[in-house]
Amino acid sequence: MNTLERTLIEKAGYAHGWENVRESTPERVVMFSARHKAEVQVTPGTTPMVWQVTFPKGPPTAEIARSLPEQFQGDGTFQGAGEASLGRLLRRSAELAMSLPNQAADLYAAEVAKLDANPPSTTEVLALVKQRRGQDLFRQALMDYWGGACAITGIDVPELLRASHAKPWARCETDQERLNAFNGFLLCSHIDALFDCGLMTFDELGTAVFSPRLDIEILTRLAINQPIKLRWLTAEHSPFLAWHRENLFQKHKSPEYS
């Protein structure tokens, strides 16, 4: 790669979540970020301005390939054909690196340590501050993982989106569980309300299942046309959804039996 190509790669990295350069030679450019633990390596392709991209350190290849199948070359390698194509790949991989597998939990642990060293006036305030910060980090992890768009509709207006836990914050046993990006979905507010209170869940294939308490008239008024389905679903989501179906989903018509 010539100097111009390396400059374009470094510029794209800086603009899309890879602001530090570890190595820049004619053979490869290696970049990383202080905001996540991943590393990306860009090497020359068969023609100028076409590059081969690999991730020696996370995020999971399958997650990137799901988002950008047209750039996946197999064997963990992606292709960036031009600056715009490379930018899309770097941006999506950085989003995933900042959400998976436990980035939010690691950030939360560091912030909690600072809070514990210099706590607010009361233990109640400290607990509230910790929970709010944890929920903020969880939302950001879901925003990154789902690309800033609803997991069902694809609507990308942040004000309309909610970070919805499958296994609620209070029911989780550890912060790793609470802040796991697979323990929840980024949902439009009305869908979030249904999921949060157990009037809706998802089956093993990611298709929405509605409580018998919601008849077709209610769903029509909510402008929900069945079936609706998650844009994708991974194996890592499964145990959290199984918990939701078993413990929160309202299986009966009367709430007292749910």
Side-chain angles (χ1 to χ4, degrees):
M1 293 183 291
N2 58 36
T3 302
L4 174 60
E5 281 191 276
R6 299 202 303 275
T7 299
L8 289 175
I9 292 167
E10 293 169 21
K11 178 183 174 184
Y14 186 84
H16 297 294
W18 306 85
E19 72 276 9
N20 295 316
V21 178
R22 189 182 305 281
E23 180 181 342
S24 183
T25 67
E27 290 74 32
R28 62 184 178 182
V29 175
V30 180
M31 297 177 291
F32 66 102
S33 172
R35 294 178 290 169
H36 54 72
K37 300 177 182 178
E39 184 175 280
V40 60
Q41 177 175 287
V42 184
T43 57
T46 55
T47 58
M49 300 295 289
V50 175
W51 304 291
Q52 300 300 304
V53 183
T54 57
F55 299 90
K57 299 178 183 178
T61 298
E63 293 286 356
I64 308 173
R66 180 183 293 111
S67 299
L68 298 169
E70 70 281 2
Q71 292 183 247
F72 185 49
Q73 303 295 294
D75 296 325
T77 301
F78 296 83
Q79 185 180 84
E83 192 174 358
S85 172
L86 179 64
R88 285 193 299 273
L89 177 59
L90 293 177
R91 182 177 65 253
R92 184 60 185 142
S93 59
E95 288 174 343
L96 291 168
M98 287 188 284
S99 62
L100 302 176
N102 56 2
Q103 178 79 2
D106 290 346
L107 290 172
Y108 181 69
E111 294 193 15
V112 164
K114 293 179 182 178
L115 283 170
D116 287 338
N118 187 24
S121 55
T122 68
T123 55
E124 290 80 7
V125 172
L126 177 61
L128 182 60
V129 170
K130 286 181 178 180
Q131 181 170 343
R132 285 180 177 173
R133 185 55 185 144
Q135 289 170 342
D136 287 344
L137 289 169
F138 182 69
R139 174 181 169 82
Q140 186 57 55
L142 291 188
M143 289 288 287
D144 288 331
Y145 179 73
W146 290 99
C150 174
I152 291 177
T153 67
I155 289 172
D156 60 357
V157 180
E159 293 86 352
L160 299 179
L161 302 176
R162 303 289 183 269
S164 193
H165 276 86
K167 186 175 183 179
W169 178 279
R171 305 287 292 273
C172 291
E173 297 177 6
T174 66
D175 290 336
Q176 293 284 339
E177 239 188 349
R178 293 183 182 98
L179 297 166
N180 190 323
F182 294 113
N183 181 20
F185 302 93
L186 192 67
L187 300 172
C188 287
S189 54
H190 67 301
I191 301 175
D192 162 70
L194 296 172
F195 185 69
D196 187 60
C197 69
L199 288 172
M200 183 191 82
T201 191
F202 298 102
D203 67 14
E204 295 86 350
L205 299 178
T207 301
V209 179
F210 295 95
S211 168
R213 293 183 61 199
L214 301 178
D215 59 26
I216 191 64
E217 181 181 355
I218 293 174
L219 292 174
T220 300
R221 289 181 179 181
L222 286 169
I224 294 176
N225 300 314
Q226 299 191 63
I228 62 174
K229 191 172 183 178
L230 292 165
R231 290 192 282 136
W232 67 78
L233 185 69
T234 73
E236 290 84 356
H237 288 111
S238 296
F240 295 108
L241 277 180
W243 190 98
H244 188 273
R245 289 193 296 269
E246 182 62 29
N247 296 279
L248 283 185
F249 182 55
Q250 299 189 34
K251 305 177 181 69
H252 306 285
K253 289 188 176 182
S254 300
E256 62 265 30
Y257 298 115
S258 63

